[in-house]
Amino acid sequence: MSAASERFAPAPGLGNPHLQTLWGPLWRKTTHIARQRERLWLEDGDFLDLDWYGPHSAEAPLVLVLHGLTGSSNSPYVAGLQQALDRQGWASAALNWRGCSGEPNLLPRSYHSGVSEDLAAALAHLRARRPLAPLFAVGYSLGGNVLLKHLGETGSSSQLQGAVAVSVPFRLDQCADRIGQGFSKFYQAHFMRQLVAYVRNKQRQFLHDGRHEGLATLAALGPLENMRTFWDFDGRVTAPLHGFSDAADYYRRASSRYFLADISTPTLVIQAADDPFVFPHSLPEPGELSTSTQFELHARGGHVGFVDGTLRCPGYYLERRIPDWLASLGRG
């Protein structure tokens, strides 16, 4: 566990992990940036949408930014990081996972915490678009889990010069249990509403478009009522749609903790000990990490929070730390 060049201290009044977690979605002012959207067509006939920002230089460093569960490129932490990267002359592309860009995707399948094949497709596309640019990736929560899994799967062939993962649910089974405890049930209920709405919205679109085969696949999942936990949703929806035998099989095969030892890309992991989504025992032990991985554990910060400064003038630690660490790879 390494010390950061700047230790995070929460803003006075925001020491509680839930206030840290909720600040961005509830109270952060919107970051307005004009981005260019590009549609990436996948080999299975589906698509991912990328939102580009920053310099259009062939050699400017390029960062792929990966959002979390039920988020999008419009999530405050995504737009905030893209703006911060632009200030140091770096380009970025924010990936919207399937069905997360404001338009349902075209297949019954969607996205999940282990969908590293879609990440690999996006990275290959960026490498082809800007072959001279140093390429990096930053993932938050679900996006961080997918990123670490990809890094472990690909080893020295990751296509990345560096990576950062934030607030990672290293053990999906344990995190599914953690979010069902105490106040965290609030987040669980929110995610369940969003995930069920995601499927229902797709059903409506398939009906409108006459995609009868897709409709039949979704109908075979059964009723969408009474799904209160991640174990419910992932067992009844995620697993059958994506080739897993059940929720436990999905959690076992998609949890990034099992891939950490094989990472060879320079990687920074930023985690808070008070993350309300993650048990302390879900965090990897030092011996599980590869020598290329730097693990930065803060006492506070919540889940994708890390809000410092003051309530009148909040600061965002991640938007200083991440660009600085990525730039240090070149300086080193």
Side-chain angles (χ1 to χ4, degrees), residues 42 46-49 67-72 96-113 115 118 142 189-206 215 218 221 224 227 233-234 237-238 241-242:
L42 302 169
D46 216 342
F47 66 89
L48 301 170
D49 283 333
H67 66 79
L69 184 66
T70 72
S72 71
N96 294 275
W97 299 112
R98 299 189 194 218
C100 294
S101 62
E103 179 180 340
N105 63 303
L106 302 178
L107 298 181
R109 64 154 299 169
S110 57
Y111 70 105
H112 58 78
S113 292
V115 67
D118 284 357
L142 174 147
H190 166 76
F191 283 128
M192 288 304 108
R193 288 192 297 270
Q194 294 291 311
L195 290 169
V196 170
Y198 175 101
V199 179
R200 292 193 189 283
N201 191 34
K202 187 181 295 190
Q203 288 176 320
R204 286 191 293 270
Q205 190 66 48
F206 282 7
L215 269 176
L218 295 179
L221 300 175
L224 299 176
M227 283 194 278
F233 185 85
D234 290 328
V237 178
T238 306
L241 280 182
H242 301 98

Side-chain angles (χ1 to χ4, degrees), residues 169-330:
F170 294 96
R171 280 284 302 269
L172 299 173
D173 53 344
Q174 294 174 357
C175 291
D177 292 338
R178 174 65 184 90
I179 204 168
Q181 296 183 357
F183 183 82
S184 293
K185 289 181 179 179
F186 168 84
Y187 307 114
Q188 179 176 257
H190 166 76
F191 283 128
M192 288 304 108
R193 288 192 297 270
Q194 294 291 311
L195 290 169
V196 170
Y198 175 101
V199 179
R200 292 193 189 283
N201 191 34
K202 187 181 295 190
Q203 288 176 320
R204 286 191 293 270
Q205 190 66 48
F206 282 7
L207 182 62
H208 177 271
D209 295 343
R211 296 178 176 271
H212 302 297
E213 186 175 341
L215 269 176
T217 299
L218 295 179
L221 300 175
L224 299 176
E225 287 77 22
N226 300 318
M227 283 194 278
R228 296 186 174 87
T229 71
F230 276 93
W231 286 95
D232 292 337
F233 185 85
D234 290 328
R236 291 162 56 183
V237 178
T238 306
L241 280 182
H242 301 98
F244 303 104
S245 59
D246 54 24
D249 181 49
Y250 160 52
Y251 294 153
R252 184 171 54 252
R253 291 164 58 186
S255 291
S256 60
R257 188 168 176 178
Y258 303 122
F259 297 86
L260 299 176
D262 296 320
I263 293 175
S264 62
T265 300
T267 300
L268 173 66
V269 178
I270 303 175
Q271 208 79 15
D274 67 353
D275 190 324
F277 295 10
V278 184
F279 285 121
H281 63 259
S282 298
L283 302 178
E285 299 292 335
E288 297 176 63
L289 302 172
S290 71
T291 57
S292 65
T293 302
Q294 180 177 336
F295 195 102
E296 190 175 289
L297 181 63
H298 298 268
R300 302 184 192 179
H303 189 79
V304 194
F306 297 96
V307 185
D308 56 15
T310 66
L311 292 176
R312 281 177 171 258
C313 187
Y316 300 99
Y317 172 80
L318 298 173
E319 289 157 32
R320 301 190 304 273
R321 177 64 176 147
I322 293 172
D324 181 70
W325 188 84
L326 292 175
S328 76
L329 296 177

